[in-house]
Each structure stands twice: as C-alpha cells, then as structure tokens.
Amino acid sequence: MITGLRLFSTSTLASARQYKYVVTRKVARKPDLKVGDVKPSKLAIPRTAPKFPEYKYGDSKIYKQSNKGLYGGQFLQFGNKISEFKNKNGRKWSLNVHTKSLWSEILNKSIRVKMTARVLRTINKEGGLDQYLLKDKSARIKELGPTGWKLKFQLLTKKENQKKRTYYRDLEKVTVNGQEKHVYFQQSGKKFLVGKRRLLKELYPLVKGDSDLTWKEYHDQHKSLAQEEVIEKLHKYNYDFSEVAQTA
C-alpha cells in the first residue's frame, strides 16, 4: 500500500460551484435614467441600433472569454497542488475548449463557434445545436451567454419568417384588376385583401379627427382589438371598404 499519497477528485465540487454560479446569476443592473438627468460619464451610448435584443444577464465578469463562445457557465478554477509532504503549489484547472462547426437545421448552414466539451456532450444529448439553443429553461438561458443568446435570436427570427411564408402560401388568392392578391379573412360576405395592421391605419385618421391624438397613443389603445372589432369601428364611421375588401 502506498502511503503519503493523496487520492481525491475535485471535479464534482468544481462542477457544483460552477452550476451554482450559473443558476444564481442575476439580471444586470442598469441606471434608472429619466429625461433631463445628467448622463453618467461611464455610460456608453451606441451610435447605431442594436441588431440583437439585449441579454438581460449581461456579460460574464468572472471569465470574459466565455462571452465569445458556448461555455455553459464554466470558468477557470484555481487551487493548490499538494505533495505528500503537504507542500502547496498554486495551479489552475483550464477548460477543455474546442472550436467546432455544427449544422443548424433552421438556418440551413454550419455555425463555427468555440465551446467546451461539456456543452458539446449536452448538444449531442439534446439532439442538435438548435434544440440546445431553443430550450426555454431559465438555467439554460443563463448558461448560454451573449454568444448563445445571439444565436438563439437568429433561430427564433428564422422560424418566425418560415411561419409567415407558410401562412401566406396557404392563403386564398383572388384576381383584382389583373393582379393576384391574398384573402386574409372573410366577414359579413366580404373577402378582406388586407390584414389588421392596414385596417388600423385606415381607422386612425377617422378616430383622430381634429384632436391631438398621436399614433403611439392611438396604437396603444387599439392594438389589442380583434379584426372584427376594428371592422365594427370602421362601420360606425361609414368607411368605404371597396379598396380593402371584395364582395364574396
């Protein structure tokens, strides 16, 4: 039997600490500024509109390299290497990081991104990169980081566009003045060739009249109305539906 040799593993403890850091991550605080307040000196104002929605948990302050890949909330671990004579030498446990190109079925292209071996195993277990990114559990969203959040937004945008294309493809078509137009819905014996958004635009000048009602105020008041309710309001103002509807 070998004496004086310390046999122990810190992998379980390290994983528990890392997971605790992920699930206890809080929403990044922001200054509550109002119109007329003095701008803080360290507050950076972007010159262009952001392409992606803001990641509410912010960038990681512990291991900043994880902001540029899928690291699953992991970070460097520091500790001591203890000899049999109990001499301590400082050391660190680095992550097993790889650069992989994974296929995305929704985007129909391969995505090259840095990730840890643990995240790669999780992706295989979930059934693919898309399934890993689109999972809605709070712990998964927290471990995605800024890079995973941007990829998730791209996937959701692509799925929404695919739904819209499918929706328009399944609509009935009619010919008006030699042009084919979609029939969005039918009501009161009429085929409406426009959607709710166009009907709200037609209703706005009628509701506004001579008042100072702004479009934002009007939209906030009427955006929750159903299509039938918007049509009823247009009927009250004796609106001519000949431009937006066709008799069935």
Side-chain angles (χ1 to χ4, degrees):
M1 180 177 180
I2 301 176
T3 60
L5 183 63
R6 301 192 61 175
L7 300 174
F8 63 94
S9 174
T10 60
S11 59
T12 304
L13 296 176
S15 300
R17 285 197 299 269
Q18 291 174 345
Y19 185 72
K20 182 179 179 181
Y21 164 71
V22 170
V23 297
T24 58
R25 221 173 154 181
K26 297 181 180 180
V27 178
R29 292 184 177 180
K30 288 187 175 182
D32 186 13
L33 300 177
K34 299 179 181 179
V35 178
D37 293 347
V38 179
K39 184 181 82 69
S41 59
K42 295 184 179 180
L43 180 63
I45 300 178
R47 296 184 178 180
T48 57
K51 297 181 180 179
F52 303 96
E54 190 173 6
Y55 183 53
K56 65 179 182 179
Y57 297 104
D59 295 345
S60 176
K61 304 298 182 183
I62 295 179
Y63 187 44
K64 295 185 178 181
Q65 180 181 336
S66 63
N67 297 324
K68 300 180 180 180
L70 300 177
Y71 284 64
Q74 294 178 270
F75 48 88
L76 292 175
Q77 296 290 323
F78 296 92
N80 294 313
K81 182 172 62 175
I82 304 176
S83 68
E84 59 180 321
F85 300 107
K86 297 185 179 180
N87 297 322
K88 296 182 179 180
N89 294 316
R91 61 156 294 181
K92 68 177 181 179
W93 285 266
S94 300
L95 301 182
N96 189 8
V97 181
H98 302 271
T99 302
K100 295 290 184 179
S101 293
L102 301 180
W103 182 259
S104 171
E105 297 179 355
I106 297 177
L107 298 178
N108 196 26
K109 67 177 183 180
S110 60
I111 299 176
R112 187 175 177 84
V113 63
K114 285 185 177 181
M115 64 182 64
T116 61
R118 180 188 296 178
V119 172
L120 184 59
R121 287 195 301 269
T122 306
I123 291 174
N124 292 333
K125 185 177 179 180
E126 293 287 353
L129 179 63
D130 297 345
Q131 289 76 6
Y132 172 80
L133 294 172
L134 294 177
K135 197 167 185 177
D136 289 333
K137 284 192 174 181
S138 59
R140 176 59 54 81
I141 295 175
K142 290 178 181 179
E143 76 176 34
L144 284 179
T147 299
W149 180 254
K150 293 177 182 178
L151 291 174
K152 180 171 184 173
F153 177 74
Q154 292 179 5
L155 295 178
L156 292 175
T157 304
K158 185 72 173 181
K159 286 184 68 176
E160 188 67 24
N161 293 337
Q162 290 175 352
K163 287 182 180 179
K164 288 181 179 179
R165 285 197 294 268
T166 305
Y167 171 75
Y168 287 119
R169 187 168 58 245
D170 296 339
L171 289 177
E172 178 187 352
K173 293 182 180 180
V174 295
T175 303
V176 180
N177 298 330
Q179 296 180 352
E180 282 191 349
K181 293 189 176 182
H182 296 288
V183 178
Y184 288 82
F185 60 96
Q186 297 186 31
Q187 185 180 344
S188 303
K190 294 180 180 179
K191 294 182 178 180
F192 284 86
L193 309 179
V194 296
K196 175 184 171 182
R197 186 180 302 176
R198 170 69 183 279
L199 294 176
L200 286 174
K201 288 183 178 179
E202 297 292 333
L203 180 62
Y204 173 58
L206 301 176
V207 174
K208 179 181 179 182
D210 298 331
S211 64
D212 296 332
L213 182 67
T214 62
W215 168 259
K216 186 178 185 306
E217 295 173 346
Y218 162 80
H219 187 262
D220 291 340
Q221 296 171 5
H222 294 78
K223 64 182 179 181
S224 60
L225 296 178
Q227 295 172 343
E228 295 78 7
E229 296 174 328
V230 178
I231 294 173
E232 288 180 6
K233 283 183 171 290
L234 289 171
H235 274 298
K236 291 180 181 179
Y237 289 98
N238 297 323
Y239 178 76
D240 183 13
F241 290 93
S242 60
E243 296 184 359
V244 297
Q246 187 182 58
T247 304

